[in-house]
Amino acid sequence: MFKTIKNALKTPDVRKRILYTLLLIVIFRLGCYITVPGVNSIVLNEAMGTNNGVAGLIDMISGGAFSRFSVFAMSISPYITASIVIQLLAMIIPSLEKLTKEGGEEGRKKINRYTKILTLVLALVEAIGVFVSYKNSGIFINTQSSTAALVVISLVAGTSILMWLGDEITNKGIGNGISMIIFIGIISGLPSFITTLWNLMITSAGFSTTGLLMAIGIIIGAVILIAGVVFIQQAERRVPVQYSKKVVGRKMVGAQSTHIPLKLAMAGVMPIIFASSFLTFPAMIIQIFVSDIATKTGFIAGLYKFSIATSSSSVGIGYTIANALIYLILIMAFTFFYTYATFNPAEVSNNIKKNGGFIPGIRAGKPTTDYLSSIISKITWFGGFFLAVIAILPMLLRFTGLNIAFGGTSILIVVGVALETVQQLESQLVMRHYKGFLE
């Protein structure tokens, strides 16, 4: 990894992309400290001091922007939700499905445009919900319609700017723009995590041996999680493919042996992000229409507690277990959805057949498609289940007194995005190398 970064910095074009990405990251972090107009800064610290549930999850993704009530307070979560909705609609609306599969570059642009429009709609709804949820907390100078409009417009504009930053990082930076913004938001909390570990060891009464052992246990657990995620993200099943001799022009091209690399986690970290957003979405909607929902009882209050159990330790173990099971199912479902969206066994089989290739021991055509589908199904079950277990394990460990919430979904996202970014740099380096060679 370090060698890749070193080589990237030596390549002028890639170095410009890296520097441009860093500039956009600085803009993102500066925006996290620009408070929305109309907010009473004196009351803000007291009202936002203990974020939990949905607010805690958004605050983690936004890099603390929500607790500061900055223009980036809603982070990129409306875009993530919009992406989920568009992808699900593409499965049931034929025109959207055609754009996704056969539209090519123009189709992707239209899908991206629809996603952005829906993002603005969801951002508007969520911004109104945020204002309604906190209008009685005293953090606003007043609750007049002019102040409400100013707050809502500022929050929607912040989300729009983050969408633009994500597109710029994807197109002109090192890639993975939206994931990179989430990545930066999460790792910005690393200093506070280190401070928490330090406070475990050094208390007001002095050095604590118990705190030291807990800190070491958390660090070891985090290292094991990181190693497990790296293993799953990098592991692959190599399917051998043999190509027979064929005539190309006036030349006879000899037989070749190659392989198809099938990764255990083709979908990357997006199923984790989508599952988290999907689970917490009901709580966001409930907060808009029901004030002080945390103190109420009944079905709606139960649904709210179930929805926030992913990121909250204040709900009961029953809600947490139920949430963990649904969380696992959603991660598995999104993993399969993304895997089959990016890898079509029938299409790969046809390409192999057209080029005169075959998998040793497997007949060309439908048997090859069935064989690839079988492999994809097995490795996706294993990879998706492994990632889901890592994601929900910290939720269950809360009730043992050991809180390692930073080591669950956060580590999955951070490690996954880091690996994808390094792969992006490697592919850009290879592309520049061949471009220079051909010139």
Side-chain angles (χ1 to χ4, degrees):
M1 182 180 72
F2 294 107
K3 185 178 179 181
T4 300
I5 296 175
K6 182 179 178 181
N7 292 334
L9 292 174
K10 289 180 179 179
T11 307
D13 190 22
V14 180
R15 184 171 63 244
K16 289 180 181 178
R17 286 178 171 269
I18 294 175
L19 293 177
Y20 186 63
T21 301
L22 292 176
L23 174 63
L24 298 180
I25 290 173
V26 171
I27 294 174
F28 165 56
R29 291 305 300 159
L30 287 176
C32 292
Y33 291 88
I34 301 176
T35 306
V36 169
V39 173
N40 189 332
S41 301
I42 298 176
V43 182
L44 179 63
N45 292 332
E46 297 179 2
M48 308 292 284
T50 55
N51 278 325
N52 213 340
V54 180
L57 179 63
I58 297 176
D59 194 50
M60 179 192 72
I61 294 176
S62 65
F66 190 86
S67 59
R68 303 183 192 98
F69 220 96
S70 80
V71 292
F72 293 158
M74 296 193 305
S75 186
I76 205 69
S77 58
Y79 180 86
I80 297 173
T81 305
S83 299
I84 297 173
V85 173
I86 293 295
Q87 301 243 8
L88 292 177
L89 288 177
M91 299 175 65
I92 58 177
I93 300 178
S95 58
L96 281 179
E97 184 180 10
K98 187 176 181 180
L99 276 178
T100 304
K101 295 183 177 180
E102 303 173 8
E105 184 64 27
E106 189 64 29
R108 282 191 292 271
K109 288 181 180 179
K110 287 185 178 181
I111 291 293
N112 191 31
R113 191 181 308 122
Y114 296 153
T115 303
K116 289 180 178 179
I117 293 173
L118 183 57
T119 298
L120 293 178
V121 174
L122 293 177
L124 179 62
V125 174
E126 188 173 335
I128 294 173
V130 169
F131 179 82
V132 171
S133 299
Y134 289 94
K135 71 176 182 178
N136 295 325
S137 63
I139 68 172
F140 301 116
I141 296 174
N142 57 65
T143 56
Q144 297 177 358
S145 58
S146 57
T147 302
L150 187 61
V151 171
V152 170
I153 291 173
S154 299
L155 291 175
V156 174
T159 298
S160 301
I161 293 172
L162 287 180
M163 274 199 304
W164 177 80
L165 290 176
D167 285 343
E168 288 293 295
I169 293 175
T170 300
N171 299 325
K172 299 180 182 179
I174 58 177
N176 295 325
I178 301 301
S179 298
M180 183 63 64
I181 290 175
I182 298 174
F183 171 84
I184 296 300
I186 293 175
I187 65 171
S188 65
L190 189 59
S192 62
F193 177 73
I194 295 174
T195 303
T196 301
L197 291 181
W198 178 261
N199 292 335
L200 279 176
M201 297 182 291
I202 308 298
T203 63
S204 57
F207 180 80
S208 173
T209 305
T210 304
L212 174 63
L213 294 176
M214 288 183 64
I216 293 175
I218 292 174
I219 293 173
I220 292 175
V223 171
I224 293 174
L225 281 174
I226 292 173
V229 173
V230 171
F231 171 77
I232 291 297
Q233 293 285 350
Q234 298 295 91
E236 61 184 25
R237 167 73 183 274
R238 297 183 176 181
V239 180
V241 178
Q242 183 74 35
Y243 289 96
S244 56
K245 292 183 179 181
K246 61 179 180 179
V247 178
V248 179
R250 295 183 178 181
K251 295 182 180 180
M252 176 71 73
V253 179
Q256 295 179 345
S257 296
T258 184
H259 65 270
I260 304 173
L262 302 177
K263 288 187 173 294
L264 286 179
M266 288 187 184
V269 298
M270 293 310 294
I272 307 294
I273 299 173
F274 276 22
S276 299
S277 301
F278 193 87
L279 270 179
T280 55
F281 184 73
M284 295 180 186
I285 300 299
I286 292 172
Q287 282 183 326
I288 296 176
F289 299 101
V290 183
S291 59
D292 299 327
I293 183 63
T295 61
K296 296 184 181 298
T297 58
F299 174 76
I300 299 298
L303 179 61
Y304 176 80
K305 291 179 181 179
F306 166 78
S307 183
I308 67 173
T310 304
S311 56
S312 174
S313 57
S314 60
V315 298
I317 189 171
Y319 288 110
T320 301
I321 292 176
N323 183 283
L325 291 175
I326 300 300
Y327 193 27
L328 185 148
I329 293 172
L330 284 176
I331 291 175
M332 294 294 299
F334 280 119
T335 300
F336 271 92
F337 175 77
Y338 262 84
T339 298
Y340 281 98
T342 55
F343 184 89
N344 189 336
E347 184 178 344
V348 173
S349 174
N350 290 333
N351 290 335
I352 293 174
K353 186 177 180 180
K354 288 179 181 178
N355 289 283
F358 63 94
I359 298 174
I362 307 295
R363 294 174 58 187
K366 191 175 183 303
T368 299
T369 301
D370 295 339
Y371 179 73
L372 292 175
S373 298
S374 175
I375 295 177
I376 285 292
S377 178
K378 292 175 182 177
I379 63 177
T380 304
W381 271 110
F382 178 81
F385 184 76
F386 186 86
L387 294 179
V389 168
I390 292 177
I392 67 174
L393 186 60
M395 296 170 56
L396 302 179
L397 288 179
R398 293 179 193 147
F399 300 97
T400 65
L402 182 62
N403 186 8
I404 57 170
F406 187 81
T409 304
S410 302
I411 284 184
L412 283 170
I413 296 173
V414 167
V415 175
V417 174
L419 291 174
E420 289 177 4
T421 302
V422 171
Q423 291 172 359
Q424 286 276 350
L425 288 175
E426 289 177 347
S427 63
Q428 290 182 17
L429 287 173
V430 171
M431 184 171 63
R432 297 303 182 282
H433 172 74
Y434 279 110
K435 184 178 178 182
F437 178 77
L438 293 173
E439 290 178 351

